Amino acid sequence: MAIERTFSILKPDATRRNLTGKINAKFEDAGLSIVAQRRIQMTTAQAESFYGVHRERGFFRDLVTFMTSGPVVVQVLEGENAVLANREIMGATNPANAAAGTIRKEFAESIEANSVHGSDSAENAAIEIAYFFAGCDIPG
Ligand code: ADP
Ligand code: MG
C-alpha cells in the first residue's frame, strides 16, 4: 500500500456544532495525519465550482446554499491508502446507511448536512487539494 493524500472538508453543520476536534480525532485515531488545514467561508462561486459534477442534480442549489451557510474547514489528510481509508472513516453519504463508528453515523444531521466531504479517487483528490491549497501550504 502507498502513502496517499486526500482532500477533506468539515462542513458547516460540523463547525456550527463545534465538532471539528471530535471529527479530527477520528482521522488521527485511524492513522491519517492532518498535513494541512484552514478554516474558510466558501463563496457561492467556489461551492458551485467544487460541486460542479452535481450541477444537474435536484439537490445542487440546496447543497451550495448549505456549504456557504457557515465556515468550513478544508484539509489535506495523509496516510496509507488515504482516499479509501477516509471514505471508510466517513461512512455512507446517507447517515441512515452509514456503518457504526463512522463520522456520518455519529455526527451527520441528514443526507445533505452530513458533516464531512472526502475525495472519491486519487485523481479527484489531487484536483481538490490544488483547488484549496498551494503546494507551499502543505509541509512535506
Ligand atoms: P459523498 O459526499 O458521499 O461523496 P456525493 O458526492 O454523492 O456524496 O454528494 C455530494 C454531497 O451532496 C453529499 O455529501 C451531500 O452533502 C449532498 N447530497 C448527496 N445526495 C443528496 C441528496 N439526495 N439530497 C440532498 N443532498 C445530497
Ligand atoms: Mg462525492
Side-chain angles (χ1 to χ4, degrees):
M1 285 201 288
I3 297 292
E4 267 181 352
R5 285 178 176 172
T6 191
F7 178 71
S8 167
I9 304 177
L10 310 184
K11 295 184 178 183
D13 67 286
T15 61
R16 178 168 46 76
R17 289 176 291 153
N18 255 355
L19 290 172
T20 63
K22 287 194 172 115
I23 294 174
N24 279 348
K26 292 272 196 195
F27 299 140
E28 295 186 336
D29 288 350
L32 294 182
S33 300
I34 302 160
V35 297
Q37 176 167 255
R38 201 166 80 250
R39 183 172 168 116
I40 63 167
Q41 172 67 50
M42 263 201 212
T43 65
T44 297
Q46 279 175 331
E48 285 174 349
S49 172
F50 182 76
Y51 278 121
V53 66
H54 296 307
R55 201 172 284 275
E56 305 307 323
R57 308 286 290 277
F59 59 78
F60 179 71
R61 191 44 53 195
D62 275 355
L63 177 60
V64 169
T65 299
F66 165 62
M67 290 300 290
T68 57
S69 68
V72 301
V73 178
V74 292
Q75 309 176 303
V76 181
L77 307 179
E78 185 177 275
E80 292 274 347
N81 260 348
V83 173
L84 193 62
N86 184 38
R87 294 294 307 196
E88 286 175 4
I89 297 162
M90 290 164 59
T93 307
N94 186 345
N97 302 328
T102 61
I103 291 168
R104 283 167 165 172
K105 182 67 173 185
E106 289 191 17
F107 300 122
E109 295 183 314
S110 67
I111 190 171
E112 177 180 81
N114 58 4
S115 304
V116 280
H117 164 85
S119 307
D120 60 10
S121 68
E123 187 189 1
N124 282 336
I127 293 168
E128 292 172 2
I129 289 169
Y131 191 66
F132 286 103
F133 290 95
C136 62
D137 291 329
I138 311 171

